[in-house]
Amino acid sequence: MASLGAEVASMTRDTAEWKKRCAMEAMRLADFETAAAEVQRAIFLDRKRSDLFQLQGDILLHLGDVKAAQSSFQKSVMLDRSSASSTRRLVWVTVVEGLREMKGGEFHAAMTRLRHVEDNGVALYLQAVCEARRDNAEARDRALRLVDKCIALDPSCADAFVLRGHLCLSMGNRSEAKSAYWRTFELCPNHPHVQGFLAQLQKEATKLYEAAFACVFKHEHDRALDCLAEALDAAPKHPQALLLQACLRRRLGRFESALGDLEYCSSFCRADLRPQVLRQIALTY
């Protein structure tokens, strides 16, 4: 009896494998309805195979049934928690479903879904967006913690820095907001959500630079340096302010600081300003 049972189990496994191959062939031919039927037969024969549920999830995605695909990927992961491919798929469909719910205004449902995703920058960012929409102090604090976790996982996420800037600005922390917006600018110079704010900062910096220039003519060098410090706090990449600050520091014998200003300025300034920067560097040496 034992050998008969083992033989039946072997035949069942072989049949399940055959049905899996039939499903994969149907997928190759873009016959996803047939593929779904074949993989369902394979699962009926062997419900303990993670790879069958993963394949079923892939087929369901092709059929546009994201919720059912998510269920299949969950079963796949439960059967084999070491399966990186099933885990990636589960995270992806969970994020897609959360985003769909957000677009439909179902922010609470999206938050509930996305909380199940661990160590994923996109999921953390979307949770932060949901919290930020609540527009109260506690929700903003939670949103800021979430967006900081997102940035820790993905320091190149420009949207996360934009959201951080918006949150800091709404919380009255203008300095942190500026820092976040400038980081966004470094990552994505044409990002639409920072252009207006950065343009305003550039205007403020230019006014302070002009005030500093006026102070130089009055020989008020310390006051001029104060104005330039404020200008560069608003717009760290303001080339004229950096050049004037370097010039003043050189006059005051602060050669190392002056060279630091000039080297930083030369790293990003326009081509037409480069000869002026190089001349200042030569004078400082």
PDB file of all heavy atoms in Angstrom, residues 20-33:
ATOM      1  N   LYS A  20       1.533  22.650 -15.447  1.00  0.00           N
ATOM      2  CA  LYS A  20       2.279  23.910 -15.352  1.00  0.00           C
ATOM      3  C   LYS A  20       2.914  24.246 -16.697  1.00  0.00           C
ATOM      4  O   LYS A  20       2.860  25.388 -17.159  1.00  0.00           O
ATOM      5  CB  LYS A  20       3.360  23.810 -14.268  1.00  0.00           C
ATOM      6  CG  LYS A  20       4.238  25.062 -14.188  1.00  0.00           C
ATOM      7  CD  LYS A  20       5.401  24.879 -13.221  1.00  0.00           C
ATOM      8  CE  LYS A  20       6.332  26.090 -13.255  1.00  0.00           C
ATOM      9  NZ  LYS A  20       7.497  25.933 -12.363  1.00  0.00           N
ATOM     10  N   ARG A  21       3.503  23.233 -17.326  1.00  0.00           N
ATOM     11  CA  ARG A  21       4.132  23.465 -18.630  1.00  0.00           C
ATOM     12  C   ARG A  21       3.100  23.866 -19.676  1.00  0.00           C
ATOM     13  O   ARG A  21       3.369  24.728 -20.527  1.00  0.00           O
ATOM     14  CB  ARG A  21       4.879  22.214 -19.067  1.00  0.00           C
ATOM     15  CG  ARG A  21       6.112  21.920 -18.211  1.00  0.00           C
ATOM     16  CD  ARG A  21       6.786  20.636 -18.640  1.00  0.00           C
ATOM     17  NE  ARG A  21       7.897  20.290 -17.749  1.00  0.00           N
ATOM     18  CZ  ARG A  21       8.605  19.186 -17.847  1.00  0.00           C
ATOM     19  NH1 ARG A  21       8.325  18.294 -18.802  1.00  0.00           N
ATOM     20  NH2 ARG A  21       9.599  18.948 -17.008  1.00  0.00           N
ATOM     21  N   CYS A  22       1.922  23.263 -19.608  1.00  0.00           N
ATOM     22  CA  CYS A  22       0.831  23.633 -20.526  1.00  0.00           C
ATOM     23  C   CYS A  22       0.433  25.090 -20.307  1.00  0.00           C
ATOM     24  O   CYS A  22       0.190  25.837 -21.268  1.00  0.00           O
ATOM     25  CB  CYS A  22      -0.375  22.722 -20.316  1.00  0.00           C
ATOM     26  SG  CYS A  22      -0.113  21.024 -20.849  1.00  0.00           S
ATOM     27  N   ALA A  23       0.376  25.492 -19.033  1.00  0.00           N
ATOM     28  CA  ALA A  23       0.018  26.883 -18.710  1.00  0.00           C
ATOM     29  C   ALA A  23       1.065  27.850 -19.246  1.00  0.00           C
ATOM     30  O   ALA A  23       0.737  28.906 -19.805  1.00  0.00           O
ATOM     31  CB  ALA A  23      -0.132  27.038 -17.201  1.00  0.00           C
ATOM     32  N   MET A  24       2.329  27.481 -19.099  1.00  0.00           N
ATOM     33  CA  MET A  24       3.405  28.352 -19.574  1.00  0.00           C
ATOM     34  C   MET A  24       3.408  28.447 -21.097  1.00  0.00           C
ATOM     35  O   MET A  24       3.661  29.521 -21.651  1.00  0.00           O
ATOM     36  CB  MET A  24       4.755  27.843 -19.054  1.00  0.00           C
ATOM     37  CG  MET A  24       4.901  27.969 -17.543  1.00  0.00           C
ATOM     38  SD  MET A  24       6.416  27.238 -16.887  1.00  0.00           S
ATOM     39  CE  MET A  24       7.637  28.377 -17.523  1.00  0.00           C
ATOM     40  N   GLU A  25       3.100  27.365 -21.759  1.00  0.00           N
ATOM     41  CA  GLU A  25       3.025  27.393 -23.218  1.00  0.00           C
ATOM     42  C   GLU A  25       1.856  28.273 -23.677  1.00  0.00           C
ATOM     43  O   GLU A  25       1.988  29.044 -24.638  1.00  0.00           O
ATOM     44  CB  GLU A  25       2.859  25.970 -23.760  1.00  0.00           C
ATOM     45  CG  GLU A  25       2.706  25.881 -25.266  1.00  0.00           C
ATOM     46  CD  GLU A  25       3.908  26.396 -26.042  1.00  0.00           C
ATOM     47  OE1 GLU A  25       4.999  26.556 -25.448  1.00  0.00           O
ATOM     48  OE2 GLU A  25       3.761  26.646 -27.260  1.00  0.00           O
ATOM     49  N   ALA A  26       0.731  28.161 -22.983  1.00  0.00           N
ATOM     50  CA  ALA A  26      -0.419  29.017 -23.310  1.00  0.00           C
ATOM     51  C   ALA A  26      -0.071  30.497 -23.087  1.00  0.00           C
ATOM     52  O   ALA A  26      -0.473  31.364 -23.870  1.00  0.00           O
ATOM     53  CB  ALA A  26      -1.622  28.615 -22.469  1.00  0.00           C
ATOM     54  N   MET A  27       0.688  30.773 -22.030  1.00  0.00           N
ATOM     55  CA  MET A  27       1.137  32.153 -21.785  1.00  0.00           C
ATOM     56  C   MET A  27       2.015  32.642 -22.926  1.00  0.00           C
ATOM     57  O   MET A  27       1.891  33.777 -23.385  1.00  0.00           O
ATOM     58  CB  MET A  27       1.934  32.238 -20.476  1.00  0.00           C
ATOM     59  CG  MET A  27       1.108  32.391 -19.228  1.00  0.00           C
ATOM     60  SD  MET A  27       2.150  32.745 -17.796  1.00  0.00           S
ATOM     61  CE  MET A  27       2.542  34.467 -18.042  1.00  0.00           C
ATOM     62  N   ARG A  28       2.903  31.758 -23.380  1.00  0.00           N
ATOM     63  CA  ARG A  28       3.804  32.144 -24.470  1.00  0.00           C
ATOM     64  C   ARG A  28       3.015  32.519 -25.722  1.00  0.00           C
ATOM     65  O   ARG A  28       3.411  33.417 -26.479  1.00  0.00           O
ATOM     66  CB  ARG A  28       4.762  30.986 -24.783  1.00  0.00           C
ATOM     67  CG  ARG A  28       5.868  31.338 -25.762  1.00  0.00           C
ATOM     68  CD  ARG A  28       6.728  30.128 -26.081  1.00  0.00           C
ATOM     69  NE  ARG A  28       6.013  29.143 -26.865  1.00  0.00           N
ATOM     70  CZ  ARG A  28       5.829  29.232 -28.181  1.00  0.00           C
ATOM     71  NH1 ARG A  28       6.316  30.266 -28.861  1.00  0.00           N
ATOM     72  NH2 ARG A  28       5.166  28.290 -28.829  1.00  0.00           N
ATOM     73  N   LEU A  29       1.875  31.851 -25.907  1.00  0.00           N
ATOM     74  CA  LEU A  29       1.014  32.130 -27.057  1.00  0.00           C
ATOM     75  C   LEU A  29      -0.002  33.236 -26.765  1.00  0.00           C
ATOM     76  O   LEU A  29      -0.879  33.501 -27.585  1.00  0.00           O
ATOM     77  CB  LEU A  29       0.273  30.845 -27.463  1.00  0.00           C
ATOM     78  CG  LEU A  29       1.163  29.680 -27.912  1.00  0.00           C
ATOM     79  CD1 LEU A  29       0.344  28.413 -28.076  1.00  0.00           C
ATOM     80  CD2 LEU A  29       1.901  30.034 -29.210  1.00  0.00           C
ATOM     81  N   ALA A  30       0.132  33.860 -25.589  1.00  0.00           N
ATOM     82  CA  ALA A  30      -0.777  34.943 -25.159  1.00  0.00           C
ATOM     83  C   ALA A  30      -2.214  34.471 -25.018  1.00  0.00           C
ATOM     84  O   ALA A  30      -3.153  35.262 -25.109  1.00  0.00           O
ATOM     85  CB  ALA A  30      -0.694  36.135 -26.113  1.00  0.00           C
ATOM     86  N   ASP A  31      -2.407  33.173 -24.768  1.00  0.00           N
ATOM     87  CA  ASP A  31      -3.742  32.621 -24.508  1.00  0.00           C
ATOM     88  C   ASP A  31      -3.898  32.502 -22.993  1.00  0.00           C
ATOM     89  O   ASP A  31      -3.760  31.430 -22.406  1.00  0.00           O
ATOM     90  CB  ASP A  31      -3.878  31.253 -25.191  1.00  0.00           C
ATOM     91  CG  ASP A  31      -5.281  30.669 -25.038  1.00  0.00           C
ATOM     92  OD1 ASP A  31      -6.122  31.312 -24.367  1.00  0.00           O
ATOM     93  OD2 ASP A  31      -5.523  29.567 -25.573  1.00  0.00           O
ATOM     94  N   PHE A  32      -4.174  33.647 -22.345  1.00  0.00           N
ATOM     95  CA  PHE A  32      -4.136  33.697 -20.894  1.00  0.00           C
ATOM     96  C   PHE A  32      -5.327  32.999 -20.239  1.00  0.00           C
ATOM     97  O   PHE A  32      -5.215  32.524 -19.099  1.00  0.00           O
ATOM     98  CB  PHE A  32      -4.024  35.151 -20.437  1.00  0.00           C
ATOM     99  CG  PHE A  32      -2.783  35.830 -20.957  1.00  0.00           C
ATOM    100  CD1 PHE A  32      -2.873  36.852 -21.893  1.00  0.00           C
ATOM    101  CD2 PHE A  32      -1.530  35.418 -20.542  1.00  0.00           C
ATOM    102  CE1 PHE A  32      -1.735  37.460 -22.391  1.00  0.00           C
ATOM    103  CE2 PHE A  32      -0.380  36.020 -21.033  1.00  0.00           C
ATOM    104  CZ  PHE A  32      -0.487  37.041 -21.960  1.00  0.00           C
ATOM    105  N   GLU A  33      -6.451  32.931 -20.908  1.00  0.00           N
ATOM    106  CA  GLU A  33      -7.601  32.201 -20.370  1.00  0.00           C
ATOM    107  C   GLU A  33      -7.257  30.714 -20.233  1.00  0.00           C
ATOM    108  O   GLU A  33      -7.517  30.097 -19.190  1.00  0.00           O
ATOM    109  CB  GLU A  33      -8.822  32.375 -21.284  1.00  0.00           C
ATOM    110  CG  GLU A  33      -9.344  33.805 -21.368  1.00  0.00           C
ATOM    111  CD  GLU A  33     -10.060  34.253 -20.103  1.00  0.00           C
ATOM    112  OE1 GLU A  33     -10.290  33.396 -19.218  1.00  0.00           O
ATOM    113  OE2 GLU A  33     -10.393  35.443 -19.997  1.00  0.00           O
TER     114      GLU A  33
END
